[in-house]
């Protein structure tokens, strides 16, 4: 299903520049990778067709299992993702991968190295791999990632793997997008100390200690388990799993998949899956509404309303909070 290697069926070439949303959704449902690529491109570019695309994809929302993979640079996220795809395909699942790469501060482009690492699956029609540039968006994801997940759900993916850029302690946006979040660590990268700090390690549903053939793996696992033991959990609450792996050799991947399955079962049993899906939808609605407001405020800059209010605040004739309330009232009108 990778658009890079897929041989197009008759008539698919027109899809690459099509703006016919029903046609694109229909073809993406049929497994046409060019239709999926076109929809994600429209989403990434914030095209005017975005509301129509979202409406067409709405019936398929929540049908895919969304798994996030995050961690510091160099812990093996891409290799682990590659091996997880292999394991999921062995189960017969259709898999979508959204791999977010850091973008250049000068050109806005990205190396998109994750696609290079996942060439093993390039000719598999049951796998769709899309590298996305973060385009300067903070939090470890691209701004368009949530809508891209909806595109892959609409394309019939059973599982969507979302791999973040290499992140630090505060970049935890993937937790609000994924049903299950994997946090990858590796021995010898300072994570033994990081394990007792607040931040990214608090979002993990499953800890994956990769490169477990290195010295210091036991200490890393012990520190993580100690941090988990310090957490306050009520009866029935999820206790994060700790799994060791050597993804470069395919070791520990079955254990990671089993931990994901176990967490999925807990989510369903406790009604947490629906709660997370609703929280995700609320965050999407809020982001879209704020985007619309910013656009409208931007249009006010071309008029006199904002300039008049700014003059009043600068002169002391009014305060910024009153001016903001008046600006919002004008936006509502």
């Amino acid at each position: 299903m990778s658009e890079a290697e897929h041989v197009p069926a008759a008539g698919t070439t027109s899809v690459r520049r099509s703006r016919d949303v029903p046609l694109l959704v229909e073809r993406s449902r049929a497994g046409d990778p060019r239709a999926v690529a076109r929809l994600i491109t429209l989403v990434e570019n914030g095209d005017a067709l975005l509301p129509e695309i979202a409406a067409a994809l709405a019936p398929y929302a929540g049908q895919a299992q969304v798994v996030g993979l995050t961690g510091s640079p160099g812990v093996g996220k891409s290799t682990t993702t590659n091996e997880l795809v292999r394991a999921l395909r062995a189960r017969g699942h259709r898999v979508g991968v959204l791999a977010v790469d850091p973008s250049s501060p000068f050109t806005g482009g990205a190396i998109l190295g994750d696609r290079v690492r996942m060439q093993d699956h390039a000719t598999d029609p049951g796998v769709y791999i899309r590298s996305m540039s973060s385009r300067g968006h903070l939090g470890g994801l691209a701004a368009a990632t949530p809508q891209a997940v909806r595109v892959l759900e609409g394309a019939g993916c059973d599982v969507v793997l979302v791999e973040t850029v290499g992140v630090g302690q505060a970049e935890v946006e993937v937790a609000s997008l994924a049903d299950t979040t994997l946090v990858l660590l590796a021995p010898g990268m300072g994570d033994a100390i990081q394990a007792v700090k607040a931040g990214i390690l608090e979002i993990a549903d499953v800890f994956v200690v990769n490169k477990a053939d290195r010295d210091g793996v036991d200490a890393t696992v012990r520190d993580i388990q100690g941090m988990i033991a310090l957490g306050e959990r009520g009866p029935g609450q999820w206790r994060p799993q700790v799994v060791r792996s050597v993804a470069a050799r395919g070791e520990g991947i079955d254990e990671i998949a089993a931990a994901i399955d176990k967490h999925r079962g807990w989510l369903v049993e406790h009604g947490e899956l629906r709660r997370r899906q609703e929280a995700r939808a609320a965050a999407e609605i809020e982001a879209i509404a704020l985007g619309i407001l910013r656009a409208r405020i931007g249009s006010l800059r071309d008029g006199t309303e904002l300039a008049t209010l700014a003059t009043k605040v600068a002169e002391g004739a009014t305060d910024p909070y009153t001016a903001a309330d008046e600006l919002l009232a004008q936006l509502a009108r």
Side-chain angles (χ1 to χ4, degrees):
M1 197 169 168
S2 170
E3 81 272 28
E5 300 291 338
H6 181 81
V7 178
T12 58
T13 52
S14 62
V15 167
R16 302 181 73 171
R17 295 189 178 276
S18 175
R19 297 184 63 80
D20 185 337
V21 173
L23 173 66
L24 290 171
V25 172
E26 178 187 350
R27 293 216 174 149
S28 70
R29 295 286 296 167
D32 183 348
R34 284 174 171 74
V36 180
R38 178 61 175 158
L39 285 170
I40 294 181
T41 296
L42 291 170
V43 164
E44 279 193 290
N45 293 338
D47 194 275
L49 290 173
L50 191 49
E52 185 181 349
I53 293 171
L57 294 173
Y60 312 110
Q63 295 186 8
Q65 181 180 6
V66 183
V67 178
L69 296 93
T70 191
S72 303
V75 295
K77 294 186 297 297
S78 296
T79 306
T80 302
T81 300
N82 187 63
E83 293 304 314
L84 272 177
V85 171
R86 197 186 312 279
L88 292 167
R89 288 296 292 142
R91 298 180 177 187
H93 293 314
R94 294 181 71 180
V95 183
V97 178
L98 294 174
V100 184
D101 282 302
S103 56
S104 165
F106 304 104
T107 66
I111 294 176
L112 310 183
D114 298 283
R115 183 177 295 176
V116 175
R117 292 192 183 98
M118 298 180 198
Q119 284 300 305
D120 293 350
H121 310 291
T123 58
D124 186 344
V127 179
Y128 182 89
I129 301 169
R130 175 74 174 223
S131 294
M132 303 178 71
S133 169
S134 65
R135 301 190 182 186
H137 183 76
L138 302 179
L141 299 177
T145 305
Q147 293 303 319
V149 168
R150 290 190 177 275
V151 172
L152 293 181
E153 285 182 318
C157 291
D158 301 301
V159 182
V160 178
L161 303 177
V162 181
E163 179 195 330
T164 72
V165 300
V167 299
Q169 284 181 291
E171 294 155 310
V172 297
E173 189 175 348
V174 68
S176 65
L177 178 65
D179 302 323
T180 299
T181 301
L182 310 184
V183 172
L184 276 70
L185 307 99
M189 299 185 69
D191 293 312
I193 296 174
Q194 300 303 323
V196 296
K197 285 188 171 184
I200 189 172
L201 297 185
E202 293 182 332
I203 69 172
D205 299 306
V206 178
F207 288 100
V208 178
V209 181
N210 192 34
K211 305 183 181 181
D213 52 345
R214 287 184 175 182
D215 292 337
V217 63
D218 291 335
T220 301
V221 170
R222 186 168 56 248
D223 287 333
I224 296 170
Q225 291 174 333
M227 183 201 69
I228 294 171
L230 290 173
E232 295 182 4
R233 292 176 183 83
Q237 284 190 307
W238 175 253
R239 180 184 176 87
Q241 306 287 291
V242 184
V243 181
R244 304 184 190 207
S245 69
V246 185
R249 298 204 298 254
E251 298 175 6
I253 302 303
D254 289 341
E255 288 78 5
I256 296 173
I260 294 171
D261 290 342
K262 185 175 181 180
H263 184 247
R264 176 77 172 188
W266 178 86
L267 289 173
V268 173
E269 179 184 351
H270 291 80
E272 181 68 12
L273 180 61
R274 174 57 61 184
R275 191 201 69 78
R276 291 193 181 196
Q277 289 172 338
E278 291 177 354
R280 188 155 68 231
E284 284 186 75
I285 295 167
E286 182 181 3
I288 291 168
L290 289 173
I292 293 171
L293 282 175
R294 289 191 189 98
R296 291 183 179 176
I297 290 173
S299 67
L300 287 179
R301 290 182 179 276
D302 297 329
T304 61
E305 295 89 346
L306 186 57
T308 300
L309 289 169
T311 299
K312 289 181 179 180
V313 171
E315 291 176 346
T318 188
D319 64 274
Y321 288 93
T322 300
D325 287 339
E326 189 173 339
L327 180 64
L328 290 174
Q330 292 179 16
L331 287 173
R333 291 195 294 271

